[in-house]
Amino acid sequence: MKQQGARVTAVMLDTVDLDAGVEFWSWFLDLEVVHRTDTYAHLSPMSAGGPHLALQRVAEPRPGKNRLHLDIRVDDRAAAEEAIVAAGGTRMGEVNEAGFPTWSVMADPLGNEFCIYEASSE
């Protein structure tokens, strides 16, 4: 049975360096910091009425691949890749799967993986 009133309000990203995480994600997604403590940072909503991206400082790095990641639509995938790498991120690879746009697997400067794809390929 559906839980009445349940909705996602934030997507929480663990990070060992809160400052670096906030700097990268607020830059890349053009989001503002709306609340910040020593442990947490909540950025503005990722889309109108959508959830916030939030970051949480943790003591240990993640031991393996993210179990949850963001898929992000960009205007120009090659230009976005270049900008991400220039900002300290990493290009992990590219995926071509029938029925989907080609996407690039990227990682932020702290190793958190995410995917980017072009708006024109939807």
Side-chain angles (χ1 to χ4, degrees):
M1 178 192 319
K2 178 183 174 190
Q3 176 62 39
Q4 296 298 315
R7 66 175 248 196
V8 175
T9 59
V11 175
M12 187 67 67
L13 179 64
D14 289 347
T15 181
V16 295
D17 185 336
L18 190 59
D19 292 332
V22 167
E23 181 180 346
F24 178 82
W25 287 105
S26 62
W27 161 78
F28 183 58
L29 296 177
D30 193 25
L31 301 175
E32 295 179 25
V33 177
V34 295
H35 181 71
R36 172 85 189 246
T37 68
D38 289 340
T39 307
Y40 299 98
H42 283 77
L43 306 181
S44 51
M46 293 185 278
S47 61
H52 294 259
L53 180 63
L55 295 95
Q56 172 180 297
R57 181 188 321 270
V58 295
E60 70 287 335
R62 65 177 176 79
K65 185 181 182 321
N66 299 36
R67 294 294 179 209
L68 177 72
H69 69 269
L70 302 175
D71 286 348
I72 302 168
R73 186 180 66 213
V74 297
D75 293 332
D76 182 329
R77 189 167 53 97
E81 283 182 12
E82 188 175 308
I84 291 163
V85 170
T90 306
R91 184 179 190 275
M92 307 293 288
E94 181 177 281
V95 178
N96 295 297
E97 192 170 314
F100 294 94
T102 298
W103 67 88
S104 299
V105 179
M106 307 296 292
D108 72 9
L110 299 166
N112 295 300
E113 295 178 16
F114 60 99
C115 297
I116 59 171
Y117 67 97
E118 283 190 21
S120 62
S121 63
E122 284 187 296

